[in-house]
Amino acid sequence: MAGDYDLVVVANRLPVDRVEEPDGSTSWRRSPGGLVTALEPVMQREDGAWVGWAGAAGDPPEPFDAEGVRCVPIGLSAEEVEDYYEGFSNGTLWPLYHDVIVAPGYHRSWWEAYVRVNERFAAAAAEQAAEGATVWVQDYQLQLVPRMLRRRRPDLSIGFFNHIPFPPFEIFAQLPWRKAIIDGLLGADLVGFQRAADASNFARACRRASNLPARSSRIRLDAEDGREVRAASFPISIDFGALDELAQREDIKARAAEIRRDLGNPEHVLLGVDRLDYTKGILHRLKAFEELLDDGKVSVEEAALIQVATPSRERVEQYIQLRQDVEVTVGRINGTHGTIGNTAVHYLHHSYGKEEMAALFLAADVMLVTALRDGMNLVAKEYVASRHDERGVLVLSEFTGAADELGQALMVNPHDIDGLKDTVVRALRMSPREAGRRMRALRRRVGDHDVQRWAASFLQALAEHHRTPASASVARAADAGQEDGA
């Protein structure tokens, strides 16, 4: 039976978090994640429904309205949180898709939970979607949903967007359930990626894992009467106008000046803002800064580094170890180089609201984005959007999706510590004229390609592809589809 919504987003998490108020009541507050930042304006404008996990184990609350969006919670048991989310999603897929920076785990119980939970998301989306609606499935936790949804509702236009990298086939081939993942994604009409290289990797995986003909961005499914799936890049972005306006507020400017005073008014402030994740290159960044201090190329009186590390996946072993390593490194740097009046590294292991983040961006002369692998990295774009003064220098890892767009940043290979050190020194010594020229170009790019353009381009491409003659066979093909293979 069809639902009421012409646009349904399906994501692992709802766009809001449950908050316990002092009086014991419960409210919902907008989540801080990049996906929510990107999609919230679109959902409010379209009056859509969002299907996602409420964030706590147990029975889900009833559907509700929050932040202008209809929220449809999905329930996960404690075991499913462990096996589907912490296990297969973040213990198998996350490291595998990020170039095996740490070793993935391949456990059948994790996979079985992943299949079961994906079925639950697909069923909920099918109930919410109106006849002929558009359903936009988000990210690696839900790669089986497109096929499961198509079986239930062949009338739908289905899109999928992968926010993290899609690995080369030589890495993807390690996955025991690679064919089932490919088949799940091919339930969509349009599969979007951050970079053109990711779309190419996916097309190659279709050829190698499933022996499907794939030319350019089109994968042909002969078993489904020649239905074609398009794979293409749609680089995600931010709400440039909102962040630019926020950073121009007088209270934000005053807070930025206060931050610099609290640091002792160093000549230069460097900033890193990341989830505490092994893909973000935080230890590489700290090592480079420590060696610059050791070498005497930078002094603690001249430069201070602020490292914001948002807590992430705190029950996962690799993340526990990473936090310990980061804290030990920060302690060593400050113990060796700190003085009574100056601290080398200001380490902040918690998250901040958008106002404080805008002030931090304004306070920072150099933004360090040194991810070892990243689908996009919206922090780089947020920094650019905040710099209405056309000052500041962005140091950007070439292994981020943002590197494809932000060519006026100073590009680095974060594995090359000497090269990273040289680039940091270059950023600190850059003339205001060159910094301004680079920042103006970066701001034009981010301003012209904001989140509204990202969402509109994806949805337009999905609508156009769904109208092609090949899609007329969807109804017949969906009923004859093969099982996912658990």
Side-chain angles (χ1 to χ4, degrees), residues 207-234:
R207 291 194 296 269
R208 296 286 300 276
S210 299
N211 197 31
L212 293 171
R215 286 191 174 185
S216 183
S217 63
R218 306 271 177 169
I219 299 98
R220 183 172 177 176
L221 308 181
D222 288 331
E224 300 182 29
D225 292 340
R227 184 173 73 88
E228 285 189 340
V229 177
R230 183 186 174 202
S233 63
F234 298 87

Side-chain angles (χ1 to χ4, degrees), residues 156-360:
L156 299 176
S157 175
I158 304 171
F160 181 92
F161 190 80
N162 199 63
H163 291 260
I164 68 174
F166 194 90
F169 181 73
E170 289 74 15
I171 292 177
F172 182 72
Q174 296 181 26
L175 186 65
W177 306 279
R178 62 196 189 194
K179 288 186 178 179
I181 292 292
I182 291 296
D183 184 61
L185 291 171
L186 291 175
D189 298 294
L190 174 63
V191 183
F193 299 91
Q194 303 281 23
R195 311 178 81 167
D198 297 324
S200 296
N201 287 342
F202 173 70
R204 185 164 178 253
C206 291
R207 291 194 296 269
R208 296 286 300 276
S210 299
N211 197 31
L212 293 171
R215 286 191 174 185
S216 183
S217 63
R218 306 271 177 169
I219 299 98
R220 183 172 177 176
L221 308 181
D222 288 331
E224 300 182 29
D225 292 340
R227 184 173 73 88
E228 285 189 340
V229 177
R230 183 186 174 202
S233 63
F234 298 87
I236 198 171
S237 194
I238 61 171
D239 191 347
F240 179 89
L243 192 49
D244 179 49
E245 182 179 350
L246 175 64
Q248 295 189 54
R249 278 174 24 188
E250 291 304 319
D251 61 320
I252 301 298
K253 295 178 184 178
R255 175 58 185 147
E258 182 182 25
I259 290 171
R260 293 187 71 98
R261 287 196 301 272
D262 290 345
L263 297 174
N265 282 319
E267 184 179 349
H268 301 290
V269 174
L270 300 94
L271 176 64
V273 176
D274 312 89
R275 279 191 314 103
L276 190 58
D277 191 287
Y278 51 76
T279 65
K280 301 300 183 180
I282 297 172
L283 287 171
H284 296 66
R285 181 184 314 156
L286 291 172
K287 181 176 180 61
F289 188 61
E290 180 179 26
E291 290 190 8
L292 287 173
L293 292 169
D294 291 341
D295 298 343
K297 294 181 179 180
V298 174
S299 70
V300 72
E301 293 80 14
E302 177 190 10
L305 170 61
I306 302 173
Q307 176 59 58
V308 177
T310 304
S312 177
R313 301 167 189 165
E314 295 192 284
R315 299 198 306 173
V316 179
E317 180 181 351
Q318 293 97 330
Y319 291 79
I320 295 171
Q321 184 62 53
L322 175 63
R323 178 178 179 180
Q324 294 173 351
D325 292 344
V326 168
E327 290 176 351
V328 166
T329 302
V330 169
R332 183 180 67 243
I333 295 171
N334 286 335
T336 302
H337 296 285
T339 66
I340 295 297
N342 300 97
T343 301
V345 180
H346 299 258
Y347 175 65
L348 307 169
H349 183 244
H350 47 87
S351 59
Y352 288 100
K354 58 185 179 181
E355 289 84 3
E356 185 71 1
M357 288 309 309
L360 283 166

Side-chain angles (χ1 to χ4, degrees), residues 41 84 109 135 152 167 199 209 292 320 333 415 447 454:
Y84 149 77
S109 60
V135 179
R152 287 175 168 85
L292 287 173
I320 295 171
I333 295 171
H415 299 282
W454 168 74

